[in-house]
């Protein structure tokens, strides 16, 4: 039992690492554009499959494929935002929600049309694990944790330290005030949607490293990612990181008491309990 | 659109000439048949998954039926009438399957539809067939289908999930395994197979160390696999589909575990073996059996001309033979006649026959027959389920599926 308790920690951190970037993307879009984007799960799928196409199809090295795939996903996200979503900017919350649902279905079916309904595997050799301070962990799990930490961390630093970040935070805090102080909103929206697409795709690649690629992989991660974004406090990247860990830990350790099929239910119970105490999420307010 | 007996969708002139002369030759053949043998062709529908998840199986299933129909027609056909086969793709999708079944029944006036593969498809098509008193023959395993079968007309040549569960337990007993951990995808077939496995396994003195179900939406399996392996079970039984079984095998490998996995054959394909790579080595599969070494199965293999394991194609081969024999036995080609006829020609008592050609002379002499086919003995119970089934255990070795053992005569 104590062995399991130790090993579950690794499982929790790994799955949290795969979910955190997408949750950060959801958080960002909600913070600035004020709508929940249901399409971001599919950007995970897109990122993973593009990486597959570039590495297995064109023979590029995996890290380069992942970088190109994430960038491309970012641009897809940006392009859709600047066309479809831009038309409904001032139409309230419902039209962009519906648009994101439509985009979700389109992306999922494009992936099905190109790669089929079957399962695929990124071309990484299966590795036997290291023993690290008593934890059993594989190289790719370490890489997943590191990359997720670096990507979400970098996004956080961008928001905190750059002029663009300042504009993002200003728009998120008080759009009217930001506008009268001369901030051009469209470039900010563009930057934010690019970041969200990029982050989600990175999450997708990380998830792909840990399991098989199926057209439903993003959809299956959408609920946990939303739970994490809400728990972290919408618009708060640091909160998303911490919340990912909380949801991951709750899910994995629930296995000690209940069947694995209740994993996500347990995570949502934890979400509900925390929101009762802290209604605006773990780190409240905004980044 | 439907297309007949291997006809391509667009017909070339040469193809037309060939067909025309073939049908001329066939009518010449008919002329030499007994005098009472005049009559029209008997329309039979073949509804199989040529695309979708069942696609890899459906192609061979259809090929087997086409070549069986050729053989049956070459002997003159049931009641001296030729069988005319209408082929439809169910796309492994219940909606598409129902549309195709309606077309077969309403437009082509078939009296039997054979070959539905996915349980969801069978469950959707069965009521359509029953409403028109058309026989449906399926290769699906879900126990839930039995509820529908109680209204008649629906036969299954695939072992019910119940039998799968017992086959797992019998194999474990052969190996002397006493301790198991179970991981199961949270779907109906897991509930049925696992409860039947458990009952039989515990009756043999086995002990279930842990049983965890997971949802289809689960993407990683690290903790689940660690938990299953914790008490050092003799084997880990996974009742799931391809993506989750792949994930579990990879997790086990990446956790440095050396466990023996036993999984249903339908969860393992070439894709799984490729995706799981070294993690699939030593994986044990329980596959629905065929009557290996039987004359009927040899014919299926030679008709398909390959070295694969043709369990579903063997079943559809048997289905069309049974339908043809049933028509002969019932002296009528209506759905209701076939429904009664199948019971009459499939089980004991009666002389064992393994083809339509061997059965017809006996039936015409008024003798009873018992068809034993390419997939097994095929004796149906009152609901239309096979009462005993054979299974084959295979192992993944060097990236190939290698047979290791047969588990015979698993009973309801």
């Amino acid at each position: 039992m104590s062995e399991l308790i130790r090993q579950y920690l690794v499982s929790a951190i790994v799955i949290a690492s795969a979910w955190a970037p997408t949750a950060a993307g959801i958080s960002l879009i909600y913070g600035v554009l004020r709508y929940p984007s249901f399409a971001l799960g599919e950007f995970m799928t897109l990122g993973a499959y593009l990486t597959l196409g570039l590495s297995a199809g064109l023979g590029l090295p995996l890290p380069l494929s992942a970088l190109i795939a994430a960038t491309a996903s970012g641009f897809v996200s940006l392009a859709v935002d600047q066309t479809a979503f831009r038309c409904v900017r001032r139409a309230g919350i419902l039209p962009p929600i519906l648009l994101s649902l439509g985009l979700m279905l389109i992306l999922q079916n494009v992936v099905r049309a190109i790669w089929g309904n079957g399962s695929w595997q990124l071309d990484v050799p299966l590795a036997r694990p290291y023993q690290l301070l008593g934890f059993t962990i594989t190289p790719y799990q370490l890489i997943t944790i590191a990359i997720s930490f670096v990507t979400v961390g970098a996004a956080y630093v961008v928001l905190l330290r750059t002029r663009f970040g300042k504009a993002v935070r200003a728009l998120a805090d008080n759009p009217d005030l930001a506008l009268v102080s001369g901030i051009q909103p469209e470039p900010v929206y563009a930057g934010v949607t690019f970041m969200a697409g990029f982050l989600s795709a990175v999450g997708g690649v990380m998830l792909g490293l840990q399991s098989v690629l199926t057209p439903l992989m993003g959809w299956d991660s959408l609920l946990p990612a939303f739970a994490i974004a809400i728990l972290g406090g919408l618009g708060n990247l640091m909160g998303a990181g911490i919340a990912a860990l909380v949801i991951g830990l709750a899910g994995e350790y629930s296995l000690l008491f209940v069947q694995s099929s209740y994993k996500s239910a347990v995570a949502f119970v934890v979400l509900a309990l925390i929101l009762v105490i802290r209604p605006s999420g773990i780190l409240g307010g905004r980044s | 659109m439907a297309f007949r007996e291997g006809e391509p969708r667009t017909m070339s002139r040469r193809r037309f000439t060939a067909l025309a002369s073939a049908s001329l030759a066939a009518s010449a053949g008919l002329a030499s048949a007994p005098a009472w043998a005049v009559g029209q062709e008997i329309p039979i529908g073949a509804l199989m998954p040529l695309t979708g998840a069942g696609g890899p199986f459906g192609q061979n299933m259809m090929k087997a039926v086409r070549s069986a129909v050729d053989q049956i027609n070459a002997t003159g056909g049931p009641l001296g009438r030729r069988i005319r086969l209408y082929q439809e793709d169910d796309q492994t999708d219940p909606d598409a399957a129902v549309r195709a079944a309606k077309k077969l029944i309403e437009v082509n006036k078939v009296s039997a539809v054979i070959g539905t593969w996915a349980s969801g498809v069978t469950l959707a098509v069965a009521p359509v067939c029953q409403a028109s008193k058309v026989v449906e023959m399926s290769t699906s395993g879900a126990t839930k289908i039995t509820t529908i079968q109680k209204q008649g007309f629906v036969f299954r040549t695939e072992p019910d999930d119940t039998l799968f569960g017992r086959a797992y337990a019998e194999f474990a007993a052969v190996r002397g395994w006493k301790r198991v951990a179970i991981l199961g995808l949270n779907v109906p077939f897991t509930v049925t197979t696992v409860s039947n496995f458990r009952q039989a396994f515990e009756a043999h003195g086995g002990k279930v160390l842990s049983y965890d179900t997971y949802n289809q939406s689960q993407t990683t399996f690290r903790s689940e696999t660690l938990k299953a392996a914790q008490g050092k079970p003799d084997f880990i039984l996974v009742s799931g589909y391809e993506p989750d079984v792949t994930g579990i095998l990879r997790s086990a490998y990446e956790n440095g575990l050396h466990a023996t996995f036993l999984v249903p054959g339908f969860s393992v394909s070439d894709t799984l073996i490729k995706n799981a790579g070294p993690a699939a080595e030593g994986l044990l599969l329980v596959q629905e059996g065929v009557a290996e070494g039987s004359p009927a199965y040899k014919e299926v293999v030679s008709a398909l001309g390959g070295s694969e394991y043709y369990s579903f194609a063997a079943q559809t081969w048997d289905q069309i033979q049974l339908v043809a024999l049933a028509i002969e036995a019932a002296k009528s080609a209506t759905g209701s006649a076939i429904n009664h006829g199948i019971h009459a020609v499939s089980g004991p008592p009666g002389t064992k026959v393994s083809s339509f050609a061997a059965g017809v002379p006996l039936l015409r002499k008024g003798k009873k027959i018992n068809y034993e086919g390419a997939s097994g003995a095929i004796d149906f119970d009152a609901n239309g389920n096979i009462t005993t089934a054979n299974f084959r255990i295979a192992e993944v070795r060097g990236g190939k599926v290698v047979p290791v053992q047969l588990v015979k005569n698993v009973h309801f």
Side-chain angles (χ1 to χ4, degrees), chain A residues 23-112:
Chain A
I26 292 171
S27 210
L28 255 179
I29 289 202
Y30 191 86
V32 177
L33 288 150
R34 303 268 185 251
Y35 70 89
S37 174
F38 295 105
L40 287 181
E42 301 313 319
F43 279 95
M44 294 179 82
T45 316
L46 186 66
Y49 273 86
L50 282 178
T51 306
L52 174 79
L54 291 168
S55 61
L58 299 182
L60 298 180
L62 195 68
L64 181 63
S65 307
L67 189 64
I68 297 175
T71 312
S73 304
F75 278 116
V76 171
S77 170
L78 169 69
V80 179
D81 177 74
Q82 289 299 307
T83 51
F85 284 89
R86 193 167 179 167
C87 297
V88 297
R89 253 339 157 226
R90 269 170 280 284
I93 187 172
L94 199 56
I97 291 181
L98 294 177
L99 263 181
S100 77
L101 279 170
L103 180 59
M104 173 183 99
L105 291 174
I106 292 169
L107 287 176
Q108 193 182 106
N109 285 294
V110 164
V111 167
R112 282 182 201 277

Side-chain angles (χ1 to χ4, degrees), chain A residues 1 4 7-8 10-11 15 119 121 126-129 136 138 141 211-212 220 252 255 259-261 263, chain B residues 211-213 215 217-220 222-224 226-227 230 242 246 250 253-254 256-258 271 275-276 279:
Chain A
M1 189 65 109
L4 279 188
Q7 298 306 340
Y8 283 4
V10 177
S11 312
I15 194 67
S119 42
Q121 191 72 58
L126 264 185
R128 288 290 192 182
T136 308
T138 67
Q141 287 165 344
S211 69
V212 287
D220 289 340
E252 297 302 316
L255 262 182
Q259 298 254 318
S260 178
S261 39
K263 227 180 193 179
Chain B
Y211 172 28
D212 258 298
T213 56
N215 289 340
S217 62
Q218 180 128 354
T219 45
T220 60
R222 190 178 181 279
S223 301
E224 289 75 8
L226 282 167
K227 184 177 171 188
Q230 213 213 0
E242 186 193 297
T246 312
R250 289 177 63 97
Y253 190 91
E254 291 185 334
L257 304 175
H258 296 273
T271 313
N275 285 344

Side-chain angles (χ1 to χ4, degrees), chain A residues 21 24-33 35 40 43 70-71 73-83 86 89 151 154-156 158-159 162-169 171 183-200 237:
Chain A
I26 292 171
S27 210
L28 255 179
I29 289 202
Y30 191 86
V32 177
L33 288 150
Y35 70 89
L40 287 181
F43 279 95
T71 312
S73 304
F75 278 116
V76 171
S77 170
L78 169 69
V80 179
D81 177 74
Q82 289 299 307
T83 51
R86 193 167 179 167
R89 253 339 157 226
T151 327
Y156 183 72
V158 164
L159 290 192
T162 63
R163 208 181 150 75
F164 164 72
K166 207 179 248 179
V168 171
R169 284 181 291 135
L171 268 175
I183 290 174
Q184 292 292 317
E186 280 306 327
V188 175
Y189 296 154
V192 164
T193 45
F194 176 85
M195 277 174 77
F198 184 93
L199 284 165
S200 305
L237 291 197

Side-chain angles (χ1 to χ4, degrees), chain A residues 189-248:
Chain A
Y189 296 154
V192 164
T193 45
F194 176 85
M195 277 174 77
F198 184 93
L199 284 165
S200 305
V202 169
V205 178
M206 297 304 113
L207 187 62
L209 286 178
Q210 307 305 324
S211 69
V212 287
L213 273 57
T214 69
L216 284 175
M217 63 187 287
W219 165 249
D220 289 340
S221 306
L222 190 64
L223 269 183
F226 259 96
I228 290 165
I230 294 167
L231 186 57
L234 284 163
N236 189 319
L237 291 197
M238 177 85 92
I242 296 171
L245 212 52
V246 172
I247 297 279

Side-chain angles (χ1 to χ4, degrees), chain B residues 119-195:
Chain B
S119 290
V121 165
T122 302
L123 284 166
V125 168
V128 177
C129 288
Q130 285 167 331
S132 309
K133 296 198 185 309
V134 165
V135 164
E136 196 208 341
M137 303 208 72
S138 145
T139 66
S140 314
T143 304
K144 205 175 152 194
I145 298 171
T146 304
T147 330
I148 297 184
Q149 284 176 298
K150 293 195 190 302
Q151 271 106 61
F153 289 95
V154 182
F155 296 85
R156 289 193 289 155
T157 47
E158 170 80 355
D160 188 272
D161 292 340
T162 308
L163 297 180
F164 257 98
R166 293 190 188 149
Y168 296 143
E170 292 211 8
F171 178 62
V174 170
R175 286 277 166 115
W177 288 337
K178 293 285 177 214
R179 294 149 54 81
V180 66
I182 309 171
L183 286 171
L185 178 63
N186 197 6
V187 289
F189 80 75
T190 292
V191 178
T192 319
T193 44
V194 169
S195 71

